[in-house]
Amino acid sequence: MKLDSIELLQLRMPLVTPFTTSFGTQTVREPILIRVRCGNLVGWGECVTMAEPLYSSEYDDAAIDVMRRFLAPALLTADNVTARTVSALLEPFKGHRMSKAALEMAVLDLELRTRNQSLADYLGATRTSVPSGVSVGVQDTIDDLVTVVGGYLEAGYARIKIKIRPGWVEEPVAALRREFGSIPLQVDANSAFSLADAALLRRLDDYDLLLIEQPLYDDDIRQHAALQRMLRTPLCLDESIVSARAAADAIALGATRIINIKPGRVGGYLEAVRIHDLARATGVGVWCGGMLETGIGRAANAALAALPGFTLPGDISGSDRFYRQDVTPPVRMHDGVVDVHQGPGLSDEPIPDVLKELTFRTEMIGG
Ligand code: NPG
């Protein structure tokens, strides 16, 4: 198809509670939504960059700039744009995977709506609901952590992930084991440690964690392999895995036994499926990560997580874990699961009034 226009809409969405990771505290999320048009057909995508380049080198203003100046024009001038051709059309531009993923999402959404097909069906999902895990930020005190985690367990979440950083490692894990016994528990360091911390991280072997996520710097693949040889607990890579090629290297080097798949980080849902297929073929477990998505990305992630190789619960919580008001009808967690969207496209469409209220910046390209 030939696209008529690509519109970028940036929303301001306050978080229900501040979210603290090893790289800082977020109190608001400003997601960039993509609206593509072809005739009277519309497709929606979501860019998962943050305001600052702290998780990776990508950030909101850079995403808007690269989409406006390079990526959107490349799609608008192409004669035949389909979800399968987007990544090849954008390949000449280096990096910017989150922006590329967002555009591919919007084209895929439009295509699936035209065909009246759900993302789950298109990707080959084998489940109609997926276990819902929750990611818990660093808290001020251990008591606060126990209270917050207790609340999520009470609500029915199937797995708890806590953020760790220097000074917040063994004590919080020990407290949760003491308080809640053998709950499914994992930790995420967001690259906050170095190999010199191996002894500290090895202490976590006593707590029967599902995994330790991204302890070292994102390009320390060989060092992750060295660390894995010192630990019983499986290592899981997130930031390091930016493509199926990177995944193949990390698996071959023994740097990861589990992969956190985030479609934004790897350039889109189609590349995410390639990583899933590779991991499945090599006996590596995968789960679907989250980037505080709105209902658009959240529903799409649930469809991806319904593929057979997703063996661990993902960071796919209900909308209300982060937002009082989602831009789509809320994604709900019930009985420890999130239901997979069965309607056409990636998700429910944004609610027009809510979209209008939350949007503070728009940019029309083409059209
Ligand atoms: O449930 O959407 C969610 C959040 C899961 O902890 C989560 N995400 O490092 O995985 C991460 C972290 C993150 C969020 C990283 C936003 C960067 C931006």
Side-chain angles (χ1 to χ4, degrees), residues 32 57 62 81 99 122 138 154 170 180 183 199 223 253 260 273-274 299 306 325 337 349 355 359:
I32 304 161
S57 62
V81 180
S99 300
Y122 175 80
V138 173
E154 187 105 327
E170 188 180 359
F180 304 115
I183 54 164
Q223 295 194 31
L253 286 167
N260 166 346
V273 171
R274 280 179 215 118
Q325 172 73 66
V337 300
E349 285 188 80
L355 180 67
T359 302

Side-chain angles (χ1 to χ4, degrees), residues 3 6 8 61-78 81 86-96 99-100 103 363 365-366:
L3 299 181
I6 297 177
L8 313 179
D61 287 351
I64 289 174
D65 187 66
V66 78
M67 284 194 274
R68 182 210 301 127
R69 291 174 58 199
F70 303 106
L71 307 184
L75 297 184
L76 288 166
T77 52
V81 180
V86 167
S87 66
L89 288 166
L90 303 182
E91 175 79 28
F93 305 102
K94 304 290 183 201
H96 297 284
S99 300
K100 292 175 178 177
L103 291 165
E363 187 129 3
I365 308 153

